[in-house]
Structures are given as structure tokens and as C-alpha cells.
């Protein structure tokens, strides 16, 4: 096996002047019909309904976000936050940060126990202390004001209908309840909504949520202020501060002060394509571009998807990129983040030169990108949750958004029918390491580091040709990076690229996604010096690609999601 690997690796290095900048044939005109893709079919249908009514891609995105609040409460909703990336037809790329913020009273000791040690992760999650000020409704208001074409109220109609008339529990929702319902004895509101005779609802059960329907009607009538003030704002504060477990210090003033923010997009190149996404407090675009930048000197197309060396190279780049992520990335309003240095081509080439095609590095430490200040590396927590959705309208506007309440059912707190996030557990619990402060430590008003990676790809002419995003905690970055390599290097269509099995990591061990064929790589990767394990990873992604026929949407074959055309 080792001889085979060495023989294969002999063809890996390619001159820097050689580039596989494939230019896909793309239609000169926008598609005649819009498309949507979401991780739940009811949400996708809500988006299509809005497109058919003449709504923009931005309108469809917001309608899907609201619908997912109803039908996918384990993953996302108005009680959480998100990142929105929008390419207006012929216009400037816009990225909007709707990430949650810590209450003003929050201190770096928030998740430190009385013994001075960081709390166990799942001890910190349930209850009010993990709840950040939700951002999705302020994000929605900004998006609608700038890019909406339908009335604000119209965007709420599909979600209200689902909440009032009911919907059936999906397999992923039932699995999420099975994972967390053992703590619901301390959370009567969520227990009343999602259990029957003391047991969590099973797949196929009918759910109605009149409290949520009423909340959505209030916001539809009163605008975003009706969420952050008045009875809904008071319900959020009361639910979080009066929680039986880990009561919060969030206030009405914290809610009233929240603002969504337009951020500069983070863009880089790969094989002649331009790839753009969200900057800090998202680590998505930076880390995706780092992975791609480190594998770019290798002929990934020639190696192919079945070659264990391809996944060795991806794994090495991943471990080096995540080492940088943990050291340097955080909310740029609080910490100087060397974004330009981290994606600098010369820096990435120097990092790539650490990668050998025929053996693992073994130790993966952060580098020193241009502009970096001395910093302490520390791991942040992030569990598999979240959702992603895509909308492209008949005029050619492109929206791609990742939204989350963090873990399954967030903090386990229900306020006025919707789940409150546990986003603050995305902060690094230990505020310092080795006597130096950690970049992603808790601070009042700060936004926790995120892995959400909504991404748009442009060809050499500047035409958008692909968009992708994913759910699944820190795996999101690698799902997106893998999909980009699969699509741009290996020529896979959108559905195949997101469905391709993943290689992830735990410590310095490579984790092969079980049930996707990735397990077969284990002997070859071990021969290259890797420690290897096999596990289910709980992934889901959504994407769309531009073809000769126009835009085609894709939903992850692992999920219950669908892509629909207008």
C-alpha cells in the first residue's frame, strides 16, 4: 500500500504557473425561473411561494428563515441568528451579520465554574446563560429594506399558516428531540410543546404552534421592533432570566440595542475562480480559503475523488487551517483579526510547503500570518446544528444564508413559541491561556466566533456560477471546502459535490464519515501516518449551480431537504 501511495504522490506537484481555471458555460441572461433549496421541504415551498408571487431572492430567503422557525425548531429560527450573503444581479456583493451578541453584563468568567475551571460544555448549554440576543429579525429588516419587493407582511404568511394549520415531525426533528429531551423536565414550555404523554413527539406526529403563530403575526404587523420590544421582548427576557437552570442576565436594553451589521465580504481565488463569503465573526470564508489555498499547488483534478492522497492533502490543509482559526479568529469589533494576512497567497504557500504528499505532518500548529499580533490559541465549542438555504430569482439575484440556534433546540428555552439559541457557548469558555487572553473569550456585546460559511463562487468573467453552505457546527467549513473541491476540481454537479463523503478531524485524528464510502480510505491514510477513526457526522448542505439551462438547486442527499424551481 505504501508503494502505491508513493507512486500516486509522484504526480501531485504542479508548477505554480499551471492553473485549472475551467470556465463553465453560463447563460448570458438570468434564468427564466427562480430556484430555492432548503433543508426542509415545507421551507423550500415557502420560498417558492414567495418567488411565484413576484418576490425577490431576498424575500424568499426571509420567508424560508421564518418557515424554518416553525418546522425545524431544532436547528434555526427567529430566536437565533445568521449570516446573509447576497449578490444582486449586476450589483455589488453584500454580506450581512445577524450573529447573536452577549448581554452587556456578560464577563469573561461566564462559563467558568466555582473551581476556576471551564464548565463542561453540556452543563453550560441548557438554560438562560447560553442565550445571546437574537439577530435574525434585525437581519431580516435590513435585508427587506434593501432588497425586498413584496410587502413585509407577505413574507410571514407561509410560516403563520404552518404554525396554525400544523406540520408533521421529520426524522431529523425527532432525532434532535431524542438527543436533548432528557433535560426537558427543567423546561416546561418546550416540554409542553414537543412531548406527548411525557415522551418526545415521534416522526410523523402533527405539530401546531399557536403561540408562535401569534408572535409571527405581531412582528408582521409591528415590524422588527415588535420582536425586540413590547410583549415579545419581555417574553424573551423573562424566559431567559427566570430559567430554572443557568438563569441569564439579559435585559430589555440588550434587545433594544441589537443591530445587524453589513460587513465587508471576504474573497479569494482558487484555480481562477473568485470565492466569496462572510468575514468575522464568521470564521467560514477565511478558513475555507486557507484550506483551498494550501491544496492549490497540488493537481487535485488529476488525483481525483477516489484517491486516498487527495484526502490526505485535504486533511493536512484542514488541520493547519483550523489551528490558525483557533488562534486568530474572533469578533473583529473586539479583536484585531488579520484576515488579509490569513488568506495572503504567499502565506498560504508557506503553510502549504509544510504538507508532504507522502506522509502526515503529525503536529499542526498555527502559523504567523502577515499583520498578526501575538495571540493565545484556545479551542471553542460548537455542536452540530444550524441550517442553510438558497434562493435565486428570475432576475438573477442570488441569496445564500446560514441560520442557527446552535445546538439541537438551542438553550431548550421556549419563549412565545420559538426556541431561544444557546449561541454563547460558541465562545471559548477559558478566558485566558498561559496568562494571555483568548481572542474568542466572552465579553459584553461581543459576537461569538462561528463556522457558518455561506459562499458564492464566480468564474473568470465575474459571473456567479455556484453557491453553497452547510449545517453541522465546525464541520460546516470542511463541508463547504470539500464541496468546492468536488465541484471545481472533480467536476461533480452541485448535488454530488455536497453529497460526497467528508473527512473531518478530532484532535489530530482524521475522522472518516461513516456510511459514505469514506471508510475505505482508512488503511491508506494510516499508511501515510495518520491516526484514523470512523464516525457519523450529522451533515447537511444546500447548493445551486449555474448550467447551460440556468440555475439548478441541490439539497444534501443525507437530509430531508429539497430543491424546487419556480
Amino acid at each position: 500500500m505504501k508503494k502505491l501511495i508513493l507512486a500516486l504522490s509522484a504526480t501531485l506537484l504542479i508548477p505554480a504557473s499551471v492553473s485549472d481555471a475551467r470556465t463553465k458555460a453560463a447563460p448570458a441572461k438570468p434564468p427564466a425561473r427562480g430556484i430555492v433549496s432548503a433543508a426542509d421541504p415545507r421551507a423550500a415551498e415557502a420560498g417558492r411561494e414567495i418567488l411565484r408571487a413576484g418576490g425577490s431572492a431576498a424575500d424568499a430567503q426571509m420567508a424560508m428563515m421564518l418557515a424554518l422557525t416553525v418546522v425545524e425548531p431544532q436547528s434555526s429560527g427567529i430566536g437565533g441568528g445568521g449570516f446573509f450573503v447576497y449578490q444582486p444581479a449586476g450589483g455589488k456583493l453584500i454580506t450581512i451579520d445577524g450573529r447573536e451578541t452577549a448581554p452587556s453584563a456578560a464577563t469573561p468568567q461566564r462559563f467558568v465554574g466555582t473551581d476556576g475551571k471551564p464548565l463542561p460544555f453540556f452543563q453550560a448549554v441548557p438554560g438562560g446563560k447560553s442565550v445571546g440576543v437574537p439577530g435574525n429579525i434585525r437581519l431580516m429588516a435590513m435585508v427587506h429594506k434593501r432588497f425586498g419587493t413584496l410587502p413585509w407582511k407577505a413574507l410571514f404568511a407561509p410560516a403563520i399558516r404552518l404554525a396554525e394549520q400544523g406540520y408533521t415531525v421529520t426524522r431529523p426533528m425527532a432525532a434532535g428531540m431524542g438527543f436533548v429531551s432528557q433535560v426537558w423536565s427543567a423546561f416546561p414550555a418546550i416540554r409542553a410543546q414537543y412531548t406527548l404523554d411525557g415522551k418526545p413527539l415521534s416522526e410523523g406526529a402533527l405539530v401546531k404552534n399557536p403561540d408562535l403563530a401569534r408572535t409571527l403575526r405581531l412582528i408582521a404587523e409591528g415590524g422588527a421592533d415588535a420582536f425586540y420590544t413590547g410583549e415579545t421582548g419581555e417574553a424573551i427576557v423573562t424566559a431567559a432570566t427566570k430559567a430554572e437552570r443557568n438563569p441569564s442576565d439579559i435585559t430589555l436594553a440588550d434587545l433594544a440595542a441589537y443591530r445587524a451589521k453589513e460587513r465587508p465580504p471576504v474573497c479569494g481565488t482558487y484555480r481562477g475562480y473568485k470565492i466569496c463569503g462572510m468575514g468575522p465573526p464568521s470564521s467560514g470564508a477565511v478558513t475555507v480559503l486557507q484550506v483551498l489555498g494550501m491544496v492549490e499547488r497540488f493537481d487535485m483534478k488529476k488525483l481525483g475523488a477516489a484517491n486516498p492522497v487527495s484526502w490526505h492533502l485535504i486533511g493536512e490543509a484542514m488541520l493547519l487551517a483550523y489551528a490558525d482559526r483557533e488562534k486568530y479568529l474572533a469578533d473583529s469589533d473586539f479583536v484585531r483579526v488579520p484576515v488579509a494576512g490569513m488568506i495572503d497567497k504567499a502565506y498560504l504557500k508557506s503553510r502549504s510547503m509544510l504538507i508532504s504528499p507522502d506522509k502526515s505532518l503529525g503536529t499542526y500548529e498555527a502559523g504567523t500570518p502577515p499583520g498578526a499580533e501575538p495571540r493565545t490559541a484556545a479551542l471553542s465549542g460548537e455542536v452540530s446544528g444550524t441550517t442553510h438555504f438558497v434562493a435565486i430569482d428570475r432576475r438573477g439575484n442570488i441569496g445564500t444564508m446560514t441560520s442557527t440556534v446552535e445546538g439541537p433546540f438551542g438553550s431548550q428555552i421556549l419563549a412565545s413559541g420559538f426556541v431561544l439559541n444557546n449561541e454563547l457557548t460558541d465562545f471559548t469558555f477559558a478566558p485566558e491561556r498561559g496568562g494571555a487572553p483568548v481572542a474568542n473569550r466572552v465579553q459584553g456585546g461581543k459576537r461569538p466566533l462561528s463556522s457558518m460559511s455561506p459562499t458564492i463562487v464566480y468564474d473568470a468573467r465575474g459571473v456567479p456560477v455556484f453557491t453553497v453552505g452547510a449545517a453541522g457546527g465546525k464541520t460546516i467549513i470542511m463541508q463547504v471546502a470539500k464541496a468546492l473541491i468536488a465541484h471545481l476540481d472533480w467536476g461533480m454537479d452541485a448535488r454530488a459535490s455536497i453529497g460526497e463523503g467528508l473527512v473531518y478531524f478530532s484532535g489530530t485524528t482524521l475522522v472518516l464519515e461513516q456510511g459514505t464510502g469514506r471508510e475505505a480510505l482508512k488503511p491508506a491514510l494510516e499508511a501515510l501516518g495518520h491516526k484514523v477513526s470512523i464516525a457519523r457526522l450529522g451533515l447537511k448542505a444546500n447548493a445551486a449551480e449555474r448550467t447551460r439551462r440556468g440555475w439548478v438547486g441541490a439539497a444534501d442527499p443525507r437530509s430531508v431537504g429539497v430543491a424546487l424551481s419556480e
Side-chain angles (χ1 to χ4, degrees):
M1 178 61 73
K2 189 172 183 180
K3 289 182 179 180
L4 173 62
I5 292 168
L6 291 172
L8 290 168
S9 66
T11 64
L12 291 178
L13 297 175
I14 58 175
S17 60
V18 177
S19 171
D20 178 27
R22 299 183 299 119
T23 300
K24 293 175 125 183
K29 297 180 180 180
R33 295 186 300 170
I35 64 99
V36 294
S37 176
D40 187 284
R42 284 77 58 99
E45 187 57 53
R48 179 163 69 173
E49 178 181 325
I50 295 300
L51 289 182
R52 285 177 169 174
S56 66
D59 288 331
Q61 287 282 90
M62 296 304 101
M64 288 193 286
M65 184 274 290
L66 295 171
L68 286 162
T69 304
V70 183
V71 300
E72 204 184 36
Q74 77 276 12
S75 295
S76 71
I78 62 174
F83 295 123
F84 176 80
V85 176
Y86 199 66
Q87 177 57 67
K92 175 187 173 185
L93 177 68
I94 302 296
T95 62
I96 297 175
D97 167 10
R99 184 69 162 158
E100 301 88 338
T101 58
S104 58
T107 72
Q109 305 298 317
R110 191 174 192 84
F111 298 115
V112 176
T114 54
D115 59 359
K117 297 179 181 179
L119 294 173
F121 186 80
F122 289 104
Q123 182 179 325
V125 167
K129 197 169 283 189
S130 66
V131 176
V133 179
N136 269 340
I137 289 295
R138 285 288 182 213
L139 180 152
M140 179 179 175
M142 180 181 284
V143 168
H144 182 259
K145 182 178 180 179
R146 295 187 63 174
F147 306 114
T149 57
L150 294 182
W152 169 265
K153 288 175 62 174
L155 309 185
F156 289 79
I160 292 170
R161 187 167 61 244
L162 285 163
E164 287 183 336
Q165 297 180 6
Y167 64 95
T168 55
V169 173
T170 60
R171 172 178 44 82
M173 183 179 172
M177 287 188 282
F179 184 69
V180 297
S181 59
Q182 65 271 19
V183 302
W184 285 0
S185 59
F187 300 96
I190 199 167
R191 186 175 70 245
Q193 177 62 39
Y194 296 117
T195 65
L196 181 64
D197 297 329
K199 296 180 180 179
L201 298 176
S202 57
E203 182 180 355
L206 181 68
V207 183
K208 294 183 180 181
N209 194 335
D211 288 345
L212 178 54
R214 183 175 184 277
T215 298
L216 293 171
R217 288 188 184 280
L218 287 172
I219 305 167
E221 293 290 339
D225 286 348
F227 179 85
Y228 291 92
T229 63
E231 65 176 85
T232 304
E234 290 171 1
I236 293 170
V237 170
T238 299
T241 58
K242 302 299 183 183
E244 182 178 323
R245 293 183 60 172
N246 297 325
S248 178
D249 47 14
I250 194 170
T251 67
L252 283 169
D254 291 322
L255 268 65
Y258 184 87
R259 296 293 182 268
K261 295 186 177 185
E262 182 178 340
R263 303 278 190 183
V266 172
C267 298
T269 60
Y270 180 71
R271 314 278 192 215
Y273 292 89
K274 183 171 79 168
I275 297 168
C276 294
M278 197 77 212
S282 170
S283 63
V286 170
T287 313
V288 166
L289 288 168
Q290 283 203 318
V291 172
L292 297 178
M294 282 186 259
V295 303
E296 192 168 15
R297 73 183 178 98
F298 302 101
D299 194 342
M300 301 300 289
K301 181 179 180 180
K302 186 173 183 179
L303 280 166
N307 194 325
V309 180
S310 295
W311 297 99
H312 158 68
L313 296 171
I314 292 169
E316 294 285 277
M318 167 182 66
L319 290 163
L320 289 167
Y322 274 76
D324 274 7
R325 176 195 186 274
E326 301 297 346
K327 187 168 186 176
Y328 296 112
L329 288 167
D331 183 349
S332 55
D333 291 343
F334 285 74
V335 177
R336 188 172 181 273
V337 182
V339 171
M342 293 179 76
I343 61 174
D344 177 76
K345 287 290 188 182
Y347 173 67
L348 292 178
K349 183 178 180 181
S350 72
R351 296 287 277 167
S352 178
M353 296 308 295
L354 297 172
I355 300 173
S356 166
D358 40 12
K359 64 177 180 179
S360 67
L361 183 60
T363 302
Y364 307 88
E365 296 180 352
T368 307
E373 299 173 343
R375 193 67 57 74
T376 301
L379 293 175
S380 60
E382 202 168 343
V383 298
S384 295
T386 313
T387 199
H388 186 80
F389 39 102
V390 174
I392 301 169
D393 62 36
R394 66 187 73 172
R395 294 170 289 278
N397 301 305
I398 302 165
T400 188
M401 180 175 176
T402 313
S403 174
T404 188
V405 291
E406 188 22 5
F409 293 93
S411 64
Q412 315 309 306
I413 296 174
L414 212 63
S416 294
F418 57 90
V419 170
L420 293 181
N421 68 85
N422 68 293
E423 221 61 63
L424 301 190
T425 54
D426 278 356
F427 283 115
T428 304
F429 287 11
E432 60 180 46
R433 185 175 176 184
V438 170
N440 189 41
R441 66 190 182 279
V442 183
Q443 292 173 269
K446 191 176 184 179
R447 301 175 191 224
L449 186 63
S450 170
S451 294
M452 294 187 284
S453 308
T455 301
I456 298 179
V457 179
Y458 304 79
D459 69 10
R461 298 168 295 165
V463 175
V465 294
F466 189 65
T467 180
V468 64
K474 288 186 182 180
T475 70
I476 290 172
I477 292 164
M478 286 313 299
Q479 290 183 71
V480 169
K482 175 265 300 177
L484 293 171
I485 292 168
H487 186 63
L488 302 178
D489 285 311
W490 299 333
M492 296 183 187
D493 66 20
R495 181 174 167 82
S497 70
I498 59 179
E500 183 74 8
L502 190 68
V503 171
Y504 189 56
F505 71 101
S506 176
T508 58
T509 297
L510 293 186
V511 180
L512 311 181
E513 185 186 1
Q514 186 175 345
T516 63
R518 283 287 84 86
E519 302 97 324
L521 299 175
K522 190 172 188 289
L525 291 172
E526 288 175 334
L528 284 162
H530 291 285
K531 292 180 285 186
V532 182
S533 65
I534 297 169
R536 295 197 178 277
L537 295 175
L539 312 180
K540 62 180 182 183
N542 293 80
E545 63 180 317
R546 195 165 191 164
T547 72
R548 292 182 183 275
R549 298 179 289 112
W551 282 95
V552 176
D556 199 314
R558 302 172 185 82
S559 76
V560 298
V562 297
L564 302 173
S565 62
E566 185 185 348

